[in-house]
């Protein structure tokens, strides 16, 4: 760590990447610094920029140093490269920060913690990967608490950022097209713990293979709380919220309860918040529920691991899967667990999914998502069995084959359900 003074003051700074994060960084820094902006999608005089001697280079999460226009320049100046998280930390060292990372469940866990604190009258802000960029918040006092969702992209190039409480929910192979190896991906996540001091706390899912291995291989300074035990079923019954009946959301809840213990939150208020929590759009979102049918929109599921936790919690499932497959992704589901699952595989990359699924369960393949929903509408009408069924849209793949993002994909699925299944 560098000294306690704000190092991003009266400096010559390059802001690389002009998305939400980059623009908020520019607005935050422009008053007290000499700022130059750059974006790969906009025409700039590259030669002129690379001749400037910047004090710092702030790169947006979407910038891959190994695959961008000014790659050579960034590598030659790697010691000057920082992120908006570093600027945020330099300006708000005294504020309590709870930072959540992991492959799956980050947004949901961050949102629950935010709701819990808000309901207990805490001045809390939800920032980072989930909502507002960390530098866009206003009217901050020393009592303001930040709940930060941090992706591996945000953590990868951060040098100063430090969190009071850090959470690593789980790790499975993801974003390997950028990180190249699982070891580099794990190291990016664990930067969150590596940067903590002895007075800080890290809450880790030590049942997870990659997390367990990392803490065996390396020593870390903060107090480590291990998430291993199951939640008491009586507590789940008290919550009485079907959202927390799935394996994945029970895992997320374990972390929330540990944070509540550390912060000594009021139990009655905590319970009320959990009872009314409805989840986030397109993340294991129940969009229809009746005696015989439940429809779940889990468009956010971009890896097999994010779908598996939900599949394990359900019976009699029509599983809709497909999209742009992630590099190195594996379907870790036993054939025994797949007896009551039938896969409906869609998209131009469907053969990749067929090869991974065909030995585990029954399946049908389709050209597109629309064809799947139309077929399901017919099957539901024909199937007069009173056994409860679940249509699970959990693609286990990125959305970029057809859609702009998982939100657009989720919205389109809802549209198809209303049009063809009439719910």
């Amino acid at each position: 760590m560098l000294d306690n003074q704000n190092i991003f003051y009266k400096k010559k700074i390059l802001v690389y990447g002009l998305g939400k994060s980059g623009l908020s960084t520019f607005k935050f820094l422009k008053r007290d610094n000499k700022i130059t902006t750059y974006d790969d999608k906009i025409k700039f005089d590259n030669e002129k920029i690379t001749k400037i001697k910047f004090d710092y280079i702030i790169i947006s999460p979407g910038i891959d140093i190994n695959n961008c226009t000014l790659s050579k320049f960034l590598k030659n100046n790697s010691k000057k490269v920082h992120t908006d998280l570093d600027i945020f930390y330099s300006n708000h060292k005294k504020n309590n920060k709870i930072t959540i990372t992991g492959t799956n469940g980050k947004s949901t866990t961050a949102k629950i913690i935010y709701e819990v604190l808000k309901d207990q009258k805490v001045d809390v802000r939800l920032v980072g990967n989930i909502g507002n960029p960390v530098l866009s918040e206003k009217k901050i006092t020393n009592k303001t608490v930040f709940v930060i969702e941090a992706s591996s992209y945000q953590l990868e190039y951060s040098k100063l950022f430090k969190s009071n409480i850090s959470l690593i929910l789980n790790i499975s192979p993801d974003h390997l097209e950028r990180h190249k190896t699982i070891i580099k991906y794990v190291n990016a996540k664990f930067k969150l713990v590596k940067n903590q001091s002895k007075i800080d706390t890290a809450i880790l899912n030590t049942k997870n293979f990659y997390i367990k291995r990392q803490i065996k291989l390396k020593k870390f300074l903060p107090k480590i709380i291990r998430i291993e035990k199951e939640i008491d079923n009586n507590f789940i019954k008290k919550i009485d919220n079907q959202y927390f009946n799935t394996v994945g959301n029970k895992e997320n809840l374990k972390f929330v309860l540990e944070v509540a213990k550390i912060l000594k939150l009021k139990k009655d208020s905590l319970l009320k918040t959990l009872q009314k929590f409805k989840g986030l759009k397109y993340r294991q979102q129940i969009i229809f529920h009746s005696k015989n049918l439940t429809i779940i929109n889990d468009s956010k599921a971009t890896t097999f691991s994010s779908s598996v936790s939900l599949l394990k919690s359900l019976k009699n499932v029509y599983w809709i899967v497909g999209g742009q497959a992630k590099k190195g992704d594996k379907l870790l589901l036993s054939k025994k667990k797949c007896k009551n699952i039938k896969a409906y595989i869609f998209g131009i990359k469907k053969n990749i999914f067929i090869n991974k699924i065909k030995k585990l369960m029954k399946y049908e393949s389709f050209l597109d998502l629309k064809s799947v929903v139309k077929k399901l509408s017919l099957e539901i009408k024909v199937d007069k069995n009173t056994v409860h069924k679940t249509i699970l849209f959990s693609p286990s793949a990125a959305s970029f084959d057809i859609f702009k993002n998982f939100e657009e994909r989720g919205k389109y699925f809802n549209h198809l359900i209303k049009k063809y299944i009439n719910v």
Side-chain angles (χ1 to χ4, degrees):
M1 299 291 292
L2 298 184
D3 61 37
N4 289 328
Q5 293 180 349
N6 180 7
I7 61 170
F8 303 101
Y9 180 69
K10 291 193 176 178
K11 296 291 192 296
K12 197 180 288 184
I13 298 174
L14 172 66
V15 175
Y16 196 144
L18 297 176
K20 276 172 70 176
S21 169
L23 289 173
S24 67
T25 299
F26 168 71
K27 288 174 185 175
F28 188 87
L29 293 174
K30 66 179 182 178
R31 191 181 69 179
D32 300 316
N33 300 277
K34 188 176 180 182
I35 306 296
T36 301
T37 58
Y38 185 88
D39 192 287
D40 286 348
K41 294 175 184 175
I42 303 170
K43 283 188 178 181
F44 287 94
D45 187 340
N46 293 353
E47 192 176 340
K48 184 180 177 182
I49 285 175
T50 54
K51 284 181 179 178
I52 300 172
K53 289 188 177 180
F54 295 104
D55 296 303
Y56 295 105
I57 301 167
I58 311 300
I59 63 173
S60 295
I63 303 300
D64 179 359
I65 281 180
N66 297 303
N67 187 26
C68 61
T69 306
L70 300 185
S71 178
K72 187 178 177 181
F73 175 71
L74 292 179
K75 286 177 181 178
N76 289 339
N77 291 275
S78 60
K79 289 182 180 178
K80 297 178 180 179
V81 171
H82 289 75
T83 68
D84 62 342
L85 285 176
D86 295 328
I87 299 166
F88 167 77
Y89 178 75
S90 289
N91 283 273
H92 304 297
K93 289 188 179 78
K94 292 179 180 178
N95 290 89
N96 274 331
K97 302 163 199 72
I98 303 164
T99 308
I100 301 101
T101 195
T103 304
N104 305 308
K106 297 186 294 295
S107 297
T108 298
T109 307
K111 180 68 171 174
I112 299 170
I113 293 170
Y114 167 75
E115 294 290 347
V116 165
L117 290 172
K118 189 176 74 169
D119 287 349
Q120 304 219 4
K121 310 301 179 189
V122 176
D123 175 18
V124 59
R125 313 296 173 87
L126 182 61
V127 294
N129 205 40
I130 186 173
N132 293 329
V134 292
L135 297 176
S136 65
E137 290 295 317
K138 310 292 183 189
K139 296 179 181 178
I140 296 164
T141 71
N142 286 341
K143 290 183 178 179
T144 304
V145 176
F146 290 92
V147 175
I148 305 161
E149 182 194 331
S151 69
S152 58
Y153 290 175
Q154 289 170 299
L155 295 168
E156 185 178 16
Y157 301 124
S158 295
K159 292 185 171 72
L160 308 176
F161 178 71
K162 180 173 165 246
S163 188
N164 305 88
I165 301 172
S166 66
L167 285 63
I168 304 184
L169 308 180
N170 48 63
I171 296 178
S172 56
D174 198 7
H175 303 304
L176 299 189
E177 67 284 350
R178 170 152 162 179
H179 294 292
K180 306 306 179 191
T181 69
I182 185 66
I183 291 171
K184 288 181 180 178
Y185 177 58
V186 171
N187 286 339
K189 294 287 188 189
F190 263 87
K191 248 191 173 179
L192 194 55
V193 182
K194 185 183 175 184
N195 286 356
Q196 289 184 290
S197 65
K198 287 180 180 179
I199 61 170
D200 301 317
T201 303
I203 309 173
L204 309 176
N205 177 4
T206 45
K207 288 198 298 184
N208 178 275
F209 169 76
Y210 295 106
I211 295 172
K212 192 175 182 179
R213 184 175 68 175
Q214 192 76 349
I215 61 173
K216 275 186 178 179
L217 291 173
K218 297 181 180 179
K219 288 185 178 181
F220 297 99
L221 289 175
K223 176 187 176 183
I224 291 178
I225 295 174
R226 296 166 183 257
I227 297 291
E228 290 174 343
K229 292 180 181 178
E230 297 304 316
I231 298 174
D232 188 282
N233 275 332
N234 290 327
F235 185 74
I236 295 293
K237 285 176 184 176
K238 274 186 185 178
I239 296 172
D240 191 27
N241 183 342
Q242 64 178 352
Y243 186 81
F244 293 108
N245 289 340
T246 66
V247 173
N249 285 327
K250 280 180 184 174
E251 287 288 328
N252 298 338
L253 183 57
K254 291 178 191 178
F255 285 85
V256 175
L257 296 178
E258 288 298 337
V259 171
K261 277 185 204 171
I262 293 167
L263 301 179
K264 297 177 181 176
L265 300 180
K266 295 172 186 174
K267 289 181 182 178
D268 289 347
S269 178
L270 169 66
L271 195 60
K272 284 178 184 176
T273 304
L274 297 175
Q275 285 168 341
K276 68 180 182 180
F277 186 73
K278 289 184 168 50
L280 297 168
K281 272 190 173 182
Y282 319 130
R283 295 168 172 90
Q284 301 189 12
Q285 183 186 15
I286 298 169
I287 59 170
F288 176 79
H289 180 72
S290 70
K291 184 181 176 183
N292 296 325
L293 179 67
T294 297
I295 304 175
I296 300 174
N297 187 337
D298 191 30
S299 179
K300 182 65 171 71
T302 57
T303 61
F304 281 122
S305 63
S306 53
S307 298
V308 164
S309 67
L310 195 47
L311 287 167
K312 284 179 179 177
S313 309
L314 301 170
K315 292 178 181 177
N316 306 312
V317 184
Y318 301 103
W319 178 28
I320 305 171
V321 56
Q324 187 171 305
K326 290 285 187 81
K327 183 181 176 183
D329 196 19
K330 293 178 182 177
L331 178 54
L332 301 175
L333 200 62
S334 67
K335 196 170 183 178
K336 188 179 177 182
K337 292 279 185 184
C338 299
K339 286 181 181 177
N340 295 311
I341 304 171
K342 182 179 177 182
Y344 293 74
I345 304 167
F346 72 92
I348 54 175
K349 305 281 187 181
K350 60 188 175 185
N351 286 339
I352 296 171
F353 295 90
I354 289 170
N355 288 334
K356 293 184 179 184
I357 286 171
K358 63 183 179 182
K359 292 180 181 178
L360 294 172
M361 65 188 78
K362 293 177 182 178
Y363 75 91
E364 288 185 52
S365 65
F366 301 83
L367 180 65
D368 53 29
L369 186 55
K370 181 179 177 180
S371 305
V372 175
V373 176
K374 285 175 81 172
K375 177 67 186 297
L376 281 173
S377 69
L378 296 172
E379 289 197 15
I380 288 165
K381 287 173 185 174
V382 171
D383 185 5
K384 294 179 180 178
N385 193 333
T386 55
V387 174
H388 187 273
K389 304 276 187 179
T390 299
I391 294 175
L392 173 62
F393 179 50
S394 189
S396 302
S399 56
F400 309 126
D401 56 330
I402 298 173
F403 304 97
K404 202 165 52 173
N405 48 44
F406 78 87
E407 289 98 341
E408 185 180 83
R409 179 169 67 181
K411 189 176 180 181
Y412 179 62
F413 175 73
N414 284 356
H415 163 74
L416 293 175
I417 291 296
K418 283 179 182 175
K419 185 173 181 180
Y420 295 106
I421 299 185
N422 194 27
V423 295

